[in-house]
Amino acid sequence: TSTSTSTSTSTTTKKNENNKPILLVSQGDPLTEKGISAITRQVATKLGVNRLLVCLDEDIDPQHSILADRQNVIYEIKYSQLIDILHEYDDEIVKRIEDSIDERIITLNEKRLGLGKEPLHSWYKTYALLQEVTKMAMKVASGSVTVAHSIDEIQEFSVTSFYEVGLGIGLIDRDHDMVPYSYV
């Protein structure tokens, strides 16, 4: 199973007005020389913060947790636990996230077909769900989240591009919860 090397990273790095600990949240990417796992290590070190690691449950991807980079990770949580947080917040939100991701996959696959390209791999849905559920559950659980993407131009057919799902649902706010790449 593949993981995206351009998944977004969530962190609560805005002014810490509530004295909660600041954590950099990442989603189980294996350590590589380049890509999100390498960037996450550097950002955590430069900010002087610890990390929270979110991994897929073993029944979804048995290798995801095993391969995850754990440097400076002080908390680890499973995807299913984040789903539980969201269900407590709103019984329908997980279905709305999943439906929005399904709609985006259909739209992207139609575009790809028009370009003569193969449809997105089946794992896109899994990792798009992980990405969006993580951000929204972290916001619900902590009261705030800052989303910072690791690239300037988000590729249309990347897992990262699914960040628009969180914006569309309304739980992630572009003006209050996202940091422009130029600030990162």
Side-chain angles (χ1 to χ4, degrees), residues 58 61-68:
E58 290 79 13
D61 182 346
Q63 296 298 305
H64 195 247
S65 177
I66 293 168
L67 298 174

Side-chain angles (χ1 to χ4, degrees), residues 73-87:
V73 170
I74 61 169
Y75 298 108
E76 194 166 322
I77 191 166
K78 296 285 183 193
Y79 173 78
S80 60
Q81 293 172 290
L82 297 179
I83 293 290
D84 290 344
I85 290 168
L86 289 176
H87 277 300

Side-chain angles (χ1 to χ4, degrees), residues 7 19 45 55 63 92-95 114 151 160 170 175:
T7 51
N19 293 323
T45 299
C55 289
Q63 296 298 305
E92 297 297 316
I93 196 164
V94 174
K95 182 173 178 1
I151 52 177
T160 302
D175 295 330

Side-chain angles (χ1 to χ4, degrees), residues 68 100 105 151 184:
S100 295
I105 287 172
I151 52 177
V184 178

Side-chain angles (χ1 to χ4, degrees), residues 19-37:
N19 293 323
K20 292 181 183 177
I22 297 172
L23 296 171
L24 188 131
V25 179
S26 59
Q27 295 130 3
D29 293 272
L31 182 60
T32 56
E33 188 175 318
K34 296 181 180 181
I36 194 64
S37 59

Side-chain angles (χ1 to χ4, degrees), residues 17-176:
E17 296 173 352
N18 55 17
N19 293 323
K20 292 181 183 177
I22 297 172
L23 296 171
L24 188 131
V25 179
S26 59
Q27 295 130 3
D29 293 272
L31 182 60
T32 56
E33 188 175 318
K34 296 181 180 181
I36 194 64
S37 59
I39 292 168
T40 301
R41 279 183 167 205
Q42 291 176 18
V43 170
T45 299
K46 286 185 180 186
L47 293 175
V49 298
N50 290 309
R51 295 174 44 209
L52 182 148
L53 176 64
V54 178
C55 289
L56 290 167
D57 296 69
E58 290 79 13
D59 62 320
I60 299 171
D61 182 346
Q63 296 298 305
H64 195 247
S65 177
I66 293 168
L67 298 174
D69 176 36
R70 288 181 167 76
Q71 182 182 29
N72 294 328
V73 170
I74 61 169
Y75 298 108
E76 194 166 322
I77 191 166
K78 296 285 183 193
Y79 173 78
S80 60
Q81 293 172 290
L82 297 179
I83 293 290
D84 290 344
I85 290 168
L86 289 176
H87 277 300
E88 277 186 41
Y89 171 76
D90 177 344
D91 281 342
E92 297 297 316
I93 196 164
V94 174
K95 182 173 178 1
R96 289 176 39 219
I97 295 168
E98 190 165 344
D99 289 348
S100 295
I101 287 173
D102 286 340
E103 289 171 17
R104 182 152 174 80
I105 287 172
I106 290 168
T107 300
L108 290 175
N109 280 338
E110 288 171 354
K111 282 185 176 183
R112 290 178 68 83
L113 181 64
L115 296 170
K117 295 183 177 187
E118 295 289 320
L120 297 173
H121 294 281
S122 60
W123 51 259
Y124 265 73
K125 180 176 179 175
T126 300
Y127 291 95
L129 280 166
L130 175 64
Q131 173 182 283
E132 293 311 300
V133 163
T134 298
K135 288 185 276 191
M136 290 186 229
M138 288 294 109
K139 183 166 183 184
V140 167
S142 70
S144 66
V145 68
T146 301
V147 178
H149 290 119
S150 60
I151 52 177
D152 189 18
E153 280 191 42
I154 296 171
Q155 300 298 312
E156 180 179 24
F157 301 116
S158 68
V159 171
T160 302
S161 74
F162 285 79
Y163 80 93
E164 294 176 6
V165 168
L167 296 175
I169 287 175
L171 197 53
I172 302 298
D173 180 271
R174 185 184 307 272
D175 295 330
H176 295 98

